[in-house]
């Protein structure tokens, strides 16, 4: 590790610790007024465990802590949501409480009153956000591609990105995916990355491949890697596991489907990272150069960061995920600045670009301002 990385890591941990301390202090003031509770030591340990639960659970997945790693990671994930919305709500509550105090209000009014309102809003956000995360919807798009596709006039795609299978999301949520895909009744199923959350071990241990393998469509199931597959560092094992259940992972590869259209699958940008051996990925131009571009070109690229190149190289339909649409508002304000298209549909020249908010989630099983979704994309081929 270089010095710059260590300094950055220490800075992040101090910042995170400071925010956790601020939330913990607010909780202590409220509980002390509510119950006249004086066990500061016990309370401090509880807050510290909540703040560290995700890290302990993530590291403990491959250690003796494996039996409790999942629950710890889930608790720690919810703490992240509490932290984000606490940082937004508590300063407002603190300012109102201070104004009430200066105005001569009783302590119960300015501590318990403002604290209870903030706690109520926080609980509503967590409840609604949990429902949004675990109750996926089908979102429908229609596009026209001005090309012939053999004898095919129409194509129905079911797309699910960012499933994030691991210690939190497992077979239960996978069954919801299978149910939604059956409702769509697609010709082909496309999975543009982040099928795994990080470590492949929970995926194998809980036999999630057996459930994922129930995805079925006449023209097959195709996938690409996302950044999270590279975080786990087990991409070859992941590709082999997918191949064993009939899901083809395209690693900078193309597939001609029924002599009608091409599926182009890009490695994720993270393939150039240290855990991927710095192999990198091929440019779009190199992937499409040997293809018959009179046929429709459909590309899976996990991150929607290369839309201009996709348009310039004749891609007709680009499918991505990655952004989660920020997952928890107001994070969508960040993703909107980072990506030309962070969610939904964009027409760029002859390119139709679609970005999903994802079927799963990262970290907290909470979605505010976004929704877990499966996409139904109806493509009509209309020769120019």
């Amino acid at each position: 590790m270089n010095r710059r990385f260590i300094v950055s890591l220490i800075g992040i941990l101090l910042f995170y610790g400071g925010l956790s301390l601020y939330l913990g202090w607010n909780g202590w003031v409220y509980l002390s007024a509510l119950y006249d509770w004086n066990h500061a030591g016990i309370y401090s340990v509880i807050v510290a465990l909540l703040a560290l639960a995700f890290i302990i659970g993530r590291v403990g997945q491959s250690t003796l802590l494996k039996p409790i790693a999942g629950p710890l990671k889930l608790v720690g994930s919810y703490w992240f949501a509490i932290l984000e919305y606490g940082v937004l709500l508590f300063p407002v509550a603190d300012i109102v409480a201070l104004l009430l105090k200066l105005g001569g209000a009783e302590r119960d009014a300015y501590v318990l009153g403002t604290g209870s309102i903030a706690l109520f809003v926080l609980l509503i956000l967590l409840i609604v956000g949990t429902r949004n995360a675990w109750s996926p919807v089908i979102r429908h798009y229609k596009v026209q591609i001005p090309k012939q596709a053999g004898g095919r006039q129409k194509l129905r795609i079911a797309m699910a990105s960012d499933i994030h299978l691991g210690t939190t999301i497992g077979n239960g949520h996978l069954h919801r995916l299978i149910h939604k895909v059956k409702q769509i009744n697609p010709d082909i199923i496309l999975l543009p990355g982040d099928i795994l959350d990080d470590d492949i071990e929970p995926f194998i241990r809980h036999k999630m491949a057996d459930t994922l393998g129930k995805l079925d469509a006449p023209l097959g199931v195709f996938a690409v890697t996302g950044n999270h597959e590279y975080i786990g560092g087990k991409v070859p094992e992941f590709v082999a596991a997918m191949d064993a259940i009939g899901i083809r992972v395209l690693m900078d590869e193309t597939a001609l489907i029924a002599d009608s259209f091409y599926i182009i699958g890009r490695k994720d940008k993270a393939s150039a990272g240290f855990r991927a051996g710095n192999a990198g990925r091929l440019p779009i131009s190199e992937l499409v150069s040997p293809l018959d571009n009179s046929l429709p070109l459909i590309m899976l690229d996990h991150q929607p960061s290369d839309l201009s190149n996709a348009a310039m190289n004749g891609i007709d339909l680009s499918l991505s995920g990655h952004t989660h649409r920020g997952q928890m508002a107001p994070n969508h304000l960040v993703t909107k600045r980072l990506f030309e298209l962070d969610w939904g549909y964009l027409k760029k020249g002859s390119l139709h670009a679609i970005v999903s908010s994802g079927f799963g989630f990262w970290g907290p099983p909470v979605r505010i301002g976004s929704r877990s979704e499966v996409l139904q994309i109806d493509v009509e081929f209309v020769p120019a």
Side-chain angles (χ1 to χ4, degrees):
M1 294 186 186
N2 59 45
R3 182 177 298 178
R4 184 176 179 181
F5 175 80
I6 294 173
V7 171
S8 298
L9 180 62
I10 291 172
I12 291 170
L13 290 175
L14 287 174
F15 180 69
Y16 175 68
L19 292 179
S20 298
L21 184 64
Y22 173 68
L23 259 67
W25 173 78
N26 272 272
W28 174 252
V29 170
Y30 181 76
L31 286 174
S32 297
L34 190 63
Y35 294 114
D36 194 24
W37 201 43
N38 296 313
H39 301 287
I42 296 173
Y43 178 80
S44 299
V45 170
I46 292 172
V47 172
L49 286 174
L50 288 172
L52 295 172
F54 184 88
I55 298 171
I56 296 171
R58 174 64 183 88
V59 173
Q61 288 177 173
S62 302
T63 69
L64 293 175
L65 293 175
K66 185 187 298 184
I68 61 170
L72 280 173
K73 197 173 176 183
L74 179 62
V75 169
S77 295
Y78 267 110
W79 174 255
F80 289 160
I82 293 169
L83 190 72
E84 172 163 346
Y85 288 112
V87 166
L88 295 175
L89 290 170
F90 290 176
V92 176
D94 290 341
I95 291 170
V96 172
L98 179 61
L99 292 174
L100 289 172
K101 180 180 180 181
L102 294 175
E106 295 292 329
R107 188 168 187 267
D108 283 357
Y110 68 78
V111 173
L112 294 181
T114 58
S116 296
I117 292 171
L119 180 60
F120 176 75
V121 173
L122 181 59
L123 287 174
I124 292 298
L125 287 171
L126 293 178
I127 291 168
V128 172
T130 299
R131 171 196 172 265
N132 288 345
W134 290 116
S135 303
V137 296
I138 296 173
R139 212 170 296 279
H140 190 197
Y141 294 92
K142 291 183 178 181
V143 299
Q144 286 187 340
I145 295 177
K147 288 182 177 180
Q148 289 185 332
R152 183 177 292 274
Q153 282 77 49
K154 294 183 178 180
L155 176 71
R156 175 166 290 182
I157 300 169
M159 169 188 154
S161 72
D162 303 277
I163 304 173
H164 286 278
L165 297 171
T167 52
T168 303
I169 300 175
N171 288 310
H173 203 45
L174 268 182
H175 282 297
R176 296 186 186 100
L177 173 60
I178 292 163
H179 175 69
K180 292 296 182 184
V181 169
K182 285 182 178 178
Q183 286 182 257
I184 294 171
N185 190 26
D187 299 307
I188 192 169
I189 300 170
L190 302 177
L191 309 173
D194 279 4
I195 294 171
L196 297 182
D197 191 41
D198 41 51
D199 194 347
I200 198 173
E201 191 277 333
F203 177 81
I204 294 172
R205 174 160 44 97
H206 295 292
K207 299 181 179 179
M208 296 179 200
D210 293 347
T211 308
L212 190 62
K214 294 177 182 178
L215 288 175
D216 182 58
L219 298 179
V221 185
F222 295 85
V224 292
T225 53
N227 57 303
H228 277 257
E229 276 81 29
Y230 292 97
I231 291 173
K234 300 287 185 181
V235 171
E237 292 86 344
F238 164 71
V239 173
M242 294 297 97
D243 186 61
I245 57 174
I247 297 177
R248 183 176 173 189
V249 181
L250 298 171
M251 302 286 287
D252 279 351
E253 298 172 287
T254 62
L256 177 60
I257 310 299
D259 293 322
S260 300
F261 60 92
Y262 289 99
I263 298 294
I264 302 161
R266 301 192 77 191
K267 294 179 182 177
D268 184 66
K269 288 174 65 176
S271 61
F274 75 97
R275 299 214 68 174
N278 299 297
R281 63 178 183 169
L282 297 177
I284 298 172
S285 58
E286 193 168 335
L287 288 171
V288 302
S289 62
L291 306 182
D292 177 4
N293 64 8
S294 68
L295 293 177
L297 306 180
I298 300 174
M299 186 176 75
L300 302 183
D301 192 358
H302 176 63
Q303 301 186 43
S305 55
D306 214 4
L307 298 184
S308 293
N309 275 327
M312 285 190 299
N313 284 283
I315 300 298
D316 297 296
L317 176 61
S318 174
L319 303 177
S320 303
H322 181 66
T323 69
H324 295 216
R325 201 191 184 191
Q327 187 164 315
M328 298 187 300
N331 298 340
H332 66 290
L333 300 177
V334 177
T335 58
K336 283 177 72 69
R337 291 186 66 86
L338 291 175
F339 299 97
E340 181 180 6
L341 176 67
D342 76 321
W343 177 73
Y345 170 82
L346 174 70
K347 184 74 157 47
K348 190 176 181 71
S350 62
L351 171 71
H352 300 276
I354 297 175
V355 178
S356 173
S357 60
F359 180 77
F361 43 81
W362 182 86
V366 174
R367 282 184 174 271
I368 298 293
S370 70
R371 191 75 185 263
S372 293
E373 63 182 23
V374 182
L375 303 190
Q376 174 183 326
I377 305 167
D378 285 314
V379 183
E380 184 178 7
F381 302 109
V382 184

